[in-house]
Amino acid sequence: MKAGLVYDPIYLEHDTGDHVENSRRLVEAISYLKETGIKEKLISLPARPASLEELEMIHAPEYISHVKSKAENGGGWLDPDTVMSPKSYEAALYAAGGLLVAVEGVMKKEVDNAFAIVRPPGHHAIRDRAMGFCIFNNVAIAARFALSKFSLNRILIADFDVHHGNGTQDAFYADPNVLYFSTHEYPYYPGTGAAKETGTGKGEGTTVNFPMAAGWGDEEYLRAFKEVLVPVARRFQPELILVSAGFDSHWADHLAMMTATITGFAQMALILKELAAELCQGRLVFTLEGGYNLRVVASSIKAIFDVLLGNSEIEDPLGKASVARKPEGFDEHIEAIKRTHHVS
Ligand SMILES: [Zn+2]
């Protein structure tokens, strides 16, 4: 398998100081890929900045110019969680553009699949506002880009970040061409993502939310994937699968309360890879969203590259949480979601 890696040092220039979403996340991840010998097995795809036209497929022109002028004026806070430095605008253009390069690489078969290791992340950013460490919605821009540039009709975005991708949901809530599937701790930031949010108008049914109770872990994530994501994806028949990969649902990530493991992330990635092979010629592109424990982020990215390369051995240096919580209520919960989305 030819797996593509998108990374650019400009991502480190988005200087957030001592914020949890900081450049060390990528520094450690890239050096771990080098240390473990995985990096040399990957095909590097050079990032590029997204054009204004590409950003405007998702974002309001006034918002884009607001971010640009904020950077020119030295940076500052875009919302209570999201801070910018003078280079953040450029980094954000390359984060969005990095994912476009990954999509192009996969669509043109230069690589079989790809993972864009970018920051700032994107899935909370909405049309005219930054939210939750996100400036531009990288995955949403990539989906629109793939629909128009490669004349696709159906794209699946799977989002297993611990937070709901409200920005991505928003962008495609009425759009039947993009199926958005999300697992996320709920209720939790940003507050959206209830199971009853299923899309609107022509997009009714193409938003699939799988809220998760605090404490649930691999077993529940994998059942959500196998019993809900797989059947809805088979029904939808995507031509490309994009993945918002966040590793903040790991037990050792203290931003949230879930108990997933690195092995669990690799198993989710394998389900997505098998779905892509079955439904869309293997076309699969991951992008980094959240994940704030540096060892978890580095090891999870490495584990996902192992899956993308077809390596069967997955290393999980952190193992399982020492205290497991009982998944009370999960059976009833998944049955209700299956009924909502008409899967048996
Ligand atoms: Zn997150």
Side-chain angles (χ1 to χ4, degrees):
M1 294 300 273
K2 286 190 287 181
L5 163 69
V6 178
Y7 171 73
D8 194 291
I10 186 68
Y11 301 143
L12 310 182
E13 307 278 322
H14 169 49
D15 181 0
T16 55
D18 58 3
H19 195 287
V20 290
E21 198 296 290
N22 60 63
S23 60
R24 288 174 59 208
R25 298 172 65 233
L26 298 207
V27 170
E28 302 240 342
I30 297 297
S31 67
Y32 192 62
L33 291 177
K34 285 183 188 158
E35 242 169 67
T36 51
I38 282 271
K39 191 165 180 288
E40 62 191 41
K41 299 184 178 133
L42 306 174
I43 295 173
S44 280
L45 302 170
R48 65 165 173 91
S51 68
L52 272 184
E53 202 181 27
E54 288 161 347
L55 294 181
E56 286 174 8
M57 292 191 285
I58 292 295
H59 295 289
E62 309 76 53
Y63 168 62
I64 300 166
S65 49
H66 169 67
V67 175
K68 183 169 186 252
S69 65
K70 189 112 181 158
E72 285 163 358
N73 291 309
W77 294 86
L78 283 170
D79 98 317
D81 300 311
T82 316
V83 70
M84 278 183 71
S85 64
K87 287 275 198 177
S88 294
Y89 177 67
E90 195 183 348
L93 294 181
Y94 272 84
L99 199 44
L100 304 185
V101 165
V103 166
E104 256 167 345
V106 165
M107 292 304 299
K108 294 181 175 169
K109 303 213 178 294
E110 293 159 7
V111 290
D112 295 304
N113 46 46
F115 196 162
I117 311 298
V118 304
R119 60 183 288 279
H123 73 156
H124 294 306
I126 57 176
R127 181 170 161 75
D128 56 2
R129 196 151 51 92
M131 273 181 73
F133 323 160
C134 301
I135 297 178
F136 298 132
N137 195 321
N138 308 320
V139 82
I141 294 164
R144 281 256 191 275
F145 168 81
L147 289 170
S148 69
K149 169 120 196 221
F150 296 99
S151 308
L152 300 185
N153 294 306
R154 291 175 311 280
I155 294 179
L156 164 63
I157 301 175
D159 184 337
F160 62 79
D161 188 277
V162 81
H163 302 95
H164 181 242
N166 60 297
T168 312
Q169 170 168 303
D170 250 33
F172 304 111
Y173 207 56
D175 188 341
N177 302 114
V178 177
L179 173 63
Y180 179 62
F181 172 88
S182 174
T183 50
H184 43 272
E185 183 173 338
Y186 185 88
Y188 196 48
Y189 183 87
T192 50
K196 67 175 192 300
E197 296 166 23
T198 57
T200 189
K202 285 184 178 162
E204 177 61 56
T206 55
T207 294
V208 180
N209 281 305
F210 201 115
M212 308 274 271
W216 289 354
D218 290 352
E219 203 180 316
E220 290 72 40
Y221 275 96
L222 292 168
R223 282 192 60 193
F225 269 51
K226 287 177 189 162
E227 296 178 39
V228 178
L229 171 62
V230 168
V232 297
R234 282 187 177 138
R235 186 168 65 202
F236 182 73
Q237 294 282 316
E239 299 161 294
L240 169 68
I241 300 178
L242 303 177
V243 185
S244 276
F247 305 111
D248 38 10
S249 53
H250 192 277
W251 62 265
D253 191 300
H254 298 307
L255 222 67
M257 296 293 292
M258 308 307 289
T259 57
T261 68
I262 292 162
T263 305
F265 295 139
Q267 288 168 321
M268 290 188 256
L270 183 59
I271 292 171
L272 290 161
K273 189 184 172 200
E274 288 172 350
L275 257 186
E278 175 190 330
L279 301 175
C280 50
Q281 303 160 52
R283 292 167 178 167
L284 177 63
V285 175
F286 282 73
T287 187
L288 181 63
E289 299 284 359
Y292 306 99
N293 176 308
L294 300 178
R295 262 188 91 199
V296 167
V297 173
S299 306
S300 301
I301 290 173
K302 194 251 177 199
I304 287 185
F305 272 122
D306 274 319
V307 170
L308 294 181
L309 287 164
N311 299 338
S312 51
E313 289 225 348
I314 298 300
E315 285 167 62
D316 186 345
L318 281 92
K320 287 185 181 194
S322 51
V323 185
R325 292 224 211 154
K326 283 225 170 84
E328 275 161 22
F330 184 79
D331 286 333
E332 295 79 7
H333 183 64
I334 194 168
E335 288 311 320
I337 292 173
K338 286 185 197 173
R339 277 195 302 275
T340 299
H341 290 282
H342 314 288
V343 292
S344 49

